[in-house]
Amino acid sequence: MSIKVILSQGRAADRSAMTLKGAALTAQALADEFGAYPTTVGTPAPPAVDDWTDSLAQARPTLLSIRNAVAKSILNGELTVLVANTCSISLASLPIVAREFPDAALLWIDAHGDFNTPHTSASGYLGGMVVAAACGLWNSGHGSGLDPSNVIFVGARDIDPAEQTLIDRFGVQVIAPAAVTPAAILEAVGERKVWVHIDWDVLEPGYVPADYDVPGGLLPEQIGVILQALGPDRVLGLELAEYQAPDDPQLSKMALATIIKTVSPLLGRVTVDSL
């Protein structure tokens, strides 16, 4: 098995220019550590605080290219690592995962559920609607097919009331930060293969800068031991999103070291084909 890194550099509801920079720095750190050089998708555009209808339309070319890149990587039998500027990029990847691996579990490791729809979202932020779109609760134009029973929210602690209603209605499992252990994850996953998404805001603030700081989060080593317990035989792909690179080079270096340390228990066990 080899690692295939796909780097998103097209705006997808980015509200800060530092998320695109954070994704690029993460991909470079992965290349330096594991020899897995990225395929870059998308053209950068300025950030904006806009409605989901505007950001979704702007992101369309990037999402279509991400969709194709993820599908190709899966077809080649690679461990797909999608380095995303925002969680909105997963509008492209999750429907492909659902199509190719309909029985796989999705570990959505995030402070948020991202299970709103255009009808329930108070903010109108596209990134907060990603998993709901993949589950077919609304039509993003980029597909669906993900069974809510295969979705496991890990570390979620900032969920809107209307979003919680949808989570309860569709039977999505939520593992709160205090309950996150390798044993709990393995029990929730069962015998299924796994697709893992990590939004860095799932961490306790202070480790990896992200768009949103939500106290009461996970520690990096908690995620690392989960990835260790699952291993490359179970993990089909890994998404890393929402690193908001700080201007301070030293702080950025520390955050990238945390990211690499967190994913090394998984990616360090994969044979890398750098060609």
Side-chain angles (χ1 to χ4, degrees):
M1 179 188 293
S2 61
I3 299 171
K4 177 63 178 180
V5 176
I6 301 166
L7 168 63
S8 170
Q9 286 291 277
R11 180 178 182 261
D14 300 65
R15 294 182 169 181
S16 164
M18 307 314 285
T19 45
L20 282 170
K21 180 180 178 181
L25 289 172
T26 300
Q28 183 59 56
L30 293 173
D32 292 342
E33 183 70 20
F34 304 111
Y37 297 93
T39 295
T40 303
V41 174
T43 302
V49 179
D50 53 9
D51 184 70
W52 70 272
T53 53
D54 297 320
S55 53
L56 180 61
Q58 185 187 43
R60 181 173 176 79
T62 298
L63 293 175
L64 292 176
S65 296
I66 291 287
R67 174 188 177 93
N68 292 336
V70 170
K72 181 179 179 181
S73 177
I74 289 174
L75 181 64
N76 288 340
E78 297 164 316
L79 194 158
T80 306
V81 179
L82 174 57
V83 183
N85 38 319
T86 71
C87 292
S88 302
I89 292 297
S90 297
L91 288 168
S93 59
L94 296 186
I96 295 299
V97 174
R99 184 188 73 189
E100 298 298 326
F101 308 109
D103 297 324
L106 169 65
L107 289 184
W108 192 261
I109 305 176
D110 192 323
H112 308 88
D114 295 344
F115 210 64
N116 272 302
T117 73
H119 298 292
T120 66
S121 174
S123 66
Y125 177 55
L126 181 63
M129 308 180 192
V130 175
V131 183
C135 289
L137 275 64
W138 69 281
N139 182 12
S140 71
H142 294 278
S144 56
L146 180 63
D147 189 332
S149 68
N150 285 331
V151 178
I152 304 165
F153 292 146
V154 179
R157 56 197 184 276
D158 188 10
I159 296 175
D160 300 333
E163 183 183 27
Q164 184 65 59
T165 298
L166 292 176
I167 289 171
D168 295 340
R169 179 186 305 167
F170 287 92
V172 177
Q173 185 170 356
V174 180
I175 303 178
V180 173
T181 65
I185 297 300
L186 291 175
E187 181 179 358
V189 168
E191 299 301 317
R192 292 173 290 184
K193 298 282 190 177
V194 183
W195 190 271
V196 180
H197 173 98
I198 301 173
D199 178 334
W200 295 111
D201 71 15
V202 77
L203 295 177
E204 179 68 17
Y207 287 96
V208 177
D211 262 348
Y212 302 96
D213 284 341
V214 185
L218 302 181
L219 301 178
E221 51 266 31
Q222 285 182 275
I223 299 176
V225 295
I226 288 168
L227 296 178
Q228 175 74 31
L230 290 169
D233 291 337
R234 299 285 299 279
V235 177
L236 299 165
L238 175 66
E239 300 180 353
L240 308 175
E242 302 276 359
Y243 168 41
Q244 190 175 62
D247 290 327
D248 186 322
Q250 186 60 33
L251 290 178
S252 182
K253 182 178 179 180
M254 292 170 61
L256 290 167
T258 297
I259 290 172
I260 293 300
K261 183 178 179 180
T262 301
V263 302
S264 287
L266 173 67
L267 299 186
R269 297 162 62 187
V270 180
T271 301
V272 177
D273 178 3
S274 60
L275 297 180

